[in-house]
């Protein structure tokens, strides 16, 4: 028997606030029994479960692990705009004139994540081979 990933755990200074941000990003809600001030907050979405844990120390450096988002019902550009409205920050832009590439953003506590093209955008592009994100 092998193991499976139960959830991805993310340290935070405010588990509920960060969990609520990511619930909005993923189109879901925090677990019904999680409340403001809780030290742990669970966010379950299609394909991933995130556990936010309050820790006393701030984020020290760049993430060693990050999430790559693929918009489901909008374009990459529309999703980036939505995420910026939720409070994300654009860190670096790797979008190319030919439509390939990605954008690196930070959530409300500075955790990096990338936004790639949607599946529809990928299937309509003409370049045969191209990297989307690191």
């Amino acid at each position: 028997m092998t193991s499976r990933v139960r959830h991805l755990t993310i340290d935070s200074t405010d588990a509920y606030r960060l969990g609520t941000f990511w619930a909005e990003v993923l189109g879901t809600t925090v677990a019904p029994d999680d409340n403001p001030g809780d030290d742990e907050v669970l966010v379950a979405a299609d394909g991933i479960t995130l556990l936010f844990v309050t820790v006393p120390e701030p984020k020290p450096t760049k993430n060693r692990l990050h999430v790559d988002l693929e918009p489901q019902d909008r374009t990459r550009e529309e999703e980036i705009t939505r995420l910026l409205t939720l409070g994300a920050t654009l860190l670096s832009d790797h979008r190319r004139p030919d439509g390939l590439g990605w954008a690196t953003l930070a959530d409300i506590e500075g955790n990096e994540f990338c936004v790639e093209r949607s599946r529809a955008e990928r299937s309509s592009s003409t370049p045969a081979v191209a990297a989307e994100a690191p």
Side-chain angles (χ1 to χ4, degrees), residues 1 3 8 13 22-23 25 28 33 35 41 45 61 63 73-74 84 93 98 103:
M1 180 62 115
S3 296
L8 179 62
T13 58
W22 277 98
V25 168
T28 189
D33 56 340
N35 298 293
V41 173
T61 61
N63 298 5
D73 59 352
R74 58 184 55 99
L84 293 172
D93 195 338
D98 64 2

Side-chain angles (χ1 to χ4, degrees), residues 15-16 19 30-31 34-35 38-43 50-53:
Y16 189 82
V30 299
D34 290 333
N35 298 293
D38 286 353
D39 288 335
E40 295 183 358
V41 173
L42 196 67
V43 174
L50 303 173
L51 175 64
F52 297 90
V53 179

Side-chain angles (χ1 to χ4, degrees), residues 9 12 25 46 62 64 66 68 72 78 89 92 97 117:
T9 301
S12 63
V25 168
D46 185 31
K62 183 181 181 301
R64 295 293 303 256
H66 70 266
D68 288 338
Q72 298 299 295
E78 293 167 334
T89 304
S92 59
R117 294 183 303 158

Side-chain angles (χ1 to χ4, degrees), residues 45-60:
D46 185 31
I48 192 166
T49 301
L50 303 173
L51 175 64
F52 297 90
V53 179
T54 299
V55 298
E57 58 277 345
K59 179 181 172 287

